[in-house]
């Protein structure tokens, strides 16, 4: 297969972890007879420095003409510590998601056998956990009207959802549930928020179209607790943008590290594959960041093209590295650790 991949390394540790993912993809391409054409483009703080726009049109053009996007991370402390900054790197990611129509963010949570005893959670709670959080990605409070009034002393962010926005993400949730264990949990705050009541009534009305799916409705605060305490009770969870952002970071603890968790953003014919972690600026350039989330995001990318042998091979080699202790410091738990590049090279050589 010939693949055109837009490569958006972004900021902080983005370039380092993406470099490792590319190394692994190249080996896979050679082994399975694919040809990958990488199209690098700027995004985030790097793009602001270059042209003042965190997601410039030139980058959008490259994304639009590619088959998929492999993305590193976005964010820079220069902007985090300056609340008055007019342009922020994160706006680039949001603009990209919106302009590409990527309304569904798929964040799987699973465990790695070799990490079970190293988790802050008890083995029996997490062994065999396998659920997916489906996060709505281009609406809600992230995109509603926001601003200041009263000379800047009052600030507001508005959470807005339309019925059709809820329907399209819920449809994905039902479809995913049908492919898995036919259980769907809708996470909301319907006891307080009007948007959540719209979510609940919309999804309730869709239940009749999927009679085999058992749907539950739970409040997000309770889910935040149960997800850690009884992760086995979940299979597919569907939720709005901000709740999904929080819950997916929380869920990464079950797997063992933020540095392990990949994600796919879908909705149009061009998928975006990215680690759930941020740009981790404190680690940038130090060769200590975990490249596995980026590598596993590449696995999700191959899977999206129906190339499951390729994605399985990548997942297998990551598991092998974990078993053999070829890990970065976040997973070394005081033992021996390897650099970002060394882990990447090991994965590429062993895949
Ligand atoms: C994520 C990130 C982003 C988000 C940030 C960087 C804008 O935290 O992908 O989860 O909040 O969506
Ligand atoms: Mn997040």
């Amino acid at each position: 297969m010939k693949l055109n991949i837009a490569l958006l390394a972004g900021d902080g540790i983005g370039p380092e972890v993406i470099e490792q993912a590319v190394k692994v993809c190249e080996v896979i391409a050679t082994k399975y007879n694919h040809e990958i054409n990488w199209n690098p483009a700027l995004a985030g703080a790097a793009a602001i420095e270059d042209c003042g726009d965190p997601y410039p049109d030139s980058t959008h053009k490259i994304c639009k003409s590619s088959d998929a996007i492999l993305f590193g991370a976005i964010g820079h402390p220069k902007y985090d510590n300056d609340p008055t900054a007019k342009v922020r790197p994160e706006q680039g990611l949001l603009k990209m998601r919106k302009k590409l129509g990527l309304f569904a963010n798929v964040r799987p949570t699973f465990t790695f056998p070799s990490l079970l005893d190293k988790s802050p959670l008890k083995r029996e709670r997490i062994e065999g956990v396998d659920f997916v959080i489906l996060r709505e990605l281009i609406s809600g409070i992230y995109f509603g009207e926001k601003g200041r009034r009263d000379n800047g002393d009052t600030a507001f962010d508005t959470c807005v959802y339309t019925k059709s926005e809820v329907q399209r993400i819920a449809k994905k949730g039902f479809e995913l549930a049908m492919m898995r264990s036919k259980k769907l949990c809708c996470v909301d705050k319907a006891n307080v928020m009007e948007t959540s009541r719209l979510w609940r009534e919309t999804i309730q009305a869709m239940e009749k179209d999927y009679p085999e799916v058992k749907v539950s409705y739970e409040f997000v605060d309770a889910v935040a607790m149960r997800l850690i305490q009884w992760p086995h009770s979940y299979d597919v969870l569907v939720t709005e943008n901000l709740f999904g952002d929080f819950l997916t970071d929380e869920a990464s603890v079950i797997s063992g590290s933020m540095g392990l968790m990949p994600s796919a953003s879908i909705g149009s014919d061009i998928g975006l594959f990215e680690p759930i972690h941020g740009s981790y600026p404190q680690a940038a350039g130090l060769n200590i960041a975990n490249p596995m989330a980026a590598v596993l995001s590449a696995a999700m990318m191959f899977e999206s093209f129906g190339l499951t042998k390729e994605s399985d091979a990548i997942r297998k080699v990551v598991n092998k590295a974990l078993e053999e202790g070829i890990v970065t410091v976040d997973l070394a738990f005081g033992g021996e650790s390897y650099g970002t590049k060394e882990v990447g090279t090991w994965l590429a050589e062993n895949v």
Side-chain angles (χ1 to χ4, degrees):
M1 201 182 238
K2 264 204 170 139
L3 296 170
N4 255 318
I5 308 297
L7 197 61
L8 275 54
D11 307 320
I13 60 168
E16 296 162 65
V17 296
I18 283 298
E19 189 186 315
Q20 312 318 312
V22 169
K23 283 200 296 213
V24 175
C25 288
E26 279 301 322
V27 178
I28 289 282
T30 311
K31 269 204 164 142
Y32 295 92
N33 260 319
H34 303 301
E35 193 187 316
I36 307 179
N37 187 10
W38 301 103
N39 310 314
L42 290 177
I48 299 179
E49 297 295 313
D50 185 65
C51 66
D53 184 342
Y55 183 63
D57 286 348
S58 51
T59 298
H60 184 59
K61 261 204 197 112
I62 291 179
C63 291
K64 284 291 276 183
S65 63
S66 300
D67 300 312
I69 305 161
L70 190 60
F71 182 87
I74 258 182
H76 195 285
K78 178 172 142 193
Y79 303 91
D80 295 342
N81 301 330
D82 177 11
T84 63
K86 290 260 170 331
V87 206
R88 321 186 70 81
E90 289 78 1
Q91 288 165 346
L93 183 56
L94 303 187
K95 194 170 153 194
M96 171 166 64
R97 289 170 176 170
K98 188 80 169 181
K99 281 187 87 166
L100 292 168
L102 304 169
F103 65 84
N105 184 225
V106 186
R107 296 191 166 182
T109 296
F110 44 88
T111 53
F112 298 87
S114 50
L115 296 179
L116 289 172
D117 290 319
K118 295 178 175 149
S119 170
L121 303 164
K122 289 201 181 83
R123 171 188 268 272
E124 59 268 28
R125 299 261 163 175
I126 58 172
E127 194 163 18
V129 162
D130 175 14
F131 62 78
V132 182
I133 300 181
L134 201 55
R135 167 187 174 195
E136 199 291 325
L137 205 56
I138 54 173
S139 188
I141 202 164
Y142 272 60
F143 292 91
E145 197 192 335
K146 58 182 84 233
R148 298 274 180 122
R149 50 176 184 252
D150 307 333
N151 286 326
D153 290 345
T154 304
F156 60 93
D157 296 277
T158 326
C159 183
V160 181
Y161 269 106
T162 65
K163 192 169 167 175
S164 60
E165 285 169 342
V166 180
Q167 281 167 334
R168 69 181 177 187
I169 183 80
K171 184 165 179 281
K172 288 259 181 257
F174 278 109
E175 286 167 359
L176 192 60
M178 282 303 287
M179 282 157 44
R180 294 175 51 105
S181 65
K182 301 193 170 104
K183 252 171 56 180
L184 178 66
C185 176
C186 304
V187 184
D188 63 28
K189 188 73 188 171
N191 51 347
V192 176
M193 292 172 61
E194 199 54 44
T195 42
S196 284
R197 287 191 277 273
L198 176 71
W199 269 71
R200 205 173 267 220
E201 104 196 5
T202 304
I203 298 176
Q204 273 169 351
M206 292 170 77
E207 278 188 44
K208 62 174 185 333
D209 300 328
Y210 303 89
E212 286 171 64
V213 178
K214 197 174 169 317
V215 187
S216 67
Y217 297 87
E218 296 183 29
F219 296 140
V220 62
D221 47 353
V223 173
M225 178 190 68
R226 283 190 213 129
L227 202 61
I228 281 289
Q229 208 170 10
W230 309 109
H232 277 289
S233 33
Y234 295 102
D235 190 57
V236 180
L237 300 99
V238 65
T239 192
E240 63 105 75
N241 206 342
L242 186 66
F243 299 161
D245 182 45
F246 297 168
L247 291 178
T248 48
D249 269 30
E250 186 194 8
S252 75
V253 178
I254 297 171
S255 300
S257 168
M258 279 277 273
L260 280 172
M261 306 311 289
S263 84
S265 301
I266 53 174
S268 67
D269 39 359
I270 307 155
L272 166 75
F273 301 86
E274 57 169 318
I276 81 156
H277 63 65
S279 61
Y280 191 16
Q282 304 86 328
L286 299 181
N287 195 36
I288 57 170
N290 189 343
M292 287 174 170
V295 171
L296 290 168
S297 297
M300 288 185 91
M301 181 178 84
F302 281 112
E303 199 173 22
S304 76
F305 297 120
L307 303 174
T308 49
K309 270 197 212 109
E310 291 77 346
S311 55
D312 286 350
I314 297 180
R315 292 193 182 111
K316 225 166 124 190
V317 78
V318 168
N319 257 311
K320 194 164 166 219
L322 292 171
E323 264 159 36
E324 299 194 14
I326 316 295
V327 292
T328 41
V329 66
D330 54 313
L331 290 172
F333 304 99
E336 194 181 356
S337 70
Y338 295 78
T340 310
K341 282 199 172 79
E342 287 66 42
V343 172
T345 303
W346 195 93
L347 293 172
E349 281 171 0
N350 289 277
V351 71

